[in-house]
Amino acid sequence: MPAVCATVPTLTERIKSGYKAFTEGKLPEALQIFTYSLQELDELREQMGICKEYITAIILETTRRDQFKEDPTRNVELAAYLTHCNLQPLHLLISLRSAMSSSVKIKNYNTAGSFCRRLLSWPREHKRAELLPCRLLELNPKAEHKEQALKVLKVCEANRSNEVELQYDERNPFVVCT
């Protein structure tokens, strides 16, 4: 694991030096110290947000795998919620494929079709695409995954129904609590 440059003790010491510079009337120096500290804190907040998204995703996926193997309805619901976590593009594509396949297994074609369309409209649909490095935005599903999604979408459009009622509606705003 890489070392973190901005630790709490380091930031505390830097802020103390900003206090000192301010006290001594070295205002440009104090401004520089506080500005730099604030930028580091903003970066840390962003990294914390990423960690929270991944913790939520991991909890959803491990719960789905460990506790709901034998409950296909709940399995699909958890797979569906996982697709709303703000993950790296590759991880989101994996979750969309999983949710699509799980939905087809229980004959929830409307739900599966929704996952197909999201997968096929990649990367425009990524929630925070503007924050992703350019190389990640260039990631597209492999040709065989697109092909699979198109085949599934064709089946879904021919059947246009959900056999099982889910406790999931992508059109309703929700927050996944962990």
Side-chain angles (χ1 to χ4, degrees):
M1 191 171 242
V4 177
C5 295
T7 63
V8 173
T10 304
L11 281 169
T12 302
E13 287 306 311
R14 187 174 301 119
I15 290 169
K16 285 180 183 177
S17 70
Y19 292 155
K20 184 178 182 221
F22 185 88
T23 302
E24 293 172 355
K26 300 176 183 174
L27 299 181
E29 182 182 330
L31 179 62
Q32 185 178 11
I33 291 168
F34 287 118
T35 302
Y36 182 74
S37 298
L38 191 59
Q39 288 170 344
E40 277 192 327
L41 287 169
D42 286 342
E43 289 174 27
L44 286 173
R45 269 189 217 99
E46 185 176 331
Q47 297 302 317
M48 285 173 50
I50 290 169
C51 291
K52 287 176 184 178
E53 290 290 328
Y54 271 87
I55 288 168
T56 300
I58 291 164
I59 290 170
L60 286 168
E61 184 61 12
T62 55
T63 302
R64 184 180 80 83
R65 287 182 185 180
D66 298 344
Q67 296 176 24
F68 294 101
K69 281 183 197 170
E70 306 304 319
D71 182 352
T73 302
R74 190 65 179 145
N75 191 292
V76 170
E77 290 168 348
L78 293 173
Y81 285 119
L82 179 61
T83 69
H84 293 277
C85 290
N86 192 18
L87 306 175
Q88 291 276 318
L90 176 61
H91 304 145
L92 183 56
L93 289 171
I94 292 167
S95 72
L96 285 167
R97 289 185 62 232
S98 174
M100 176 184 70
S101 298
S102 299
S103 296
V104 168
K105 285 178 187 171
I106 64 167
K107 298 180 181 171
N108 272 38
Y109 298 111
N110 289 337
T111 304
S114 170
F115 297 126
C116 291
R117 283 186 282 283
R118 285 177 58 199
L119 191 146
L120 293 167
S121 67
W122 188 262
R124 293 185 315 264
E125 295 299 315
H126 196 272
K127 289 181 201 169
R128 296 174 58 194
E130 72 281 357
L131 298 178
L132 296 171
C134 291
R135 65 182 168 73
L136 294 177
L137 286 176
E138 295 166 4
L139 178 68
N140 283 315
K142 292 181 180 177
E144 66 256 26
H145 297 156
K146 279 186 177 182
E147 212 171 286
Q148 178 196 23
L150 286 168
K151 285 178 185 175
V152 171
L153 185 58
K154 189 174 183 178
V155 170
C156 294
E157 288 176 346
N159 291 292
R160 293 196 185 269
S161 65
N162 280 339
E163 195 165 291
V164 178
E165 186 176 335
L166 299 176
Q167 296 299 310
Y168 166 78
D169 182 355
E170 69 179 330
R171 295 165 292 168
N172 260 349
F174 59 85
V175 175
V176 177
C177 300
T178 55

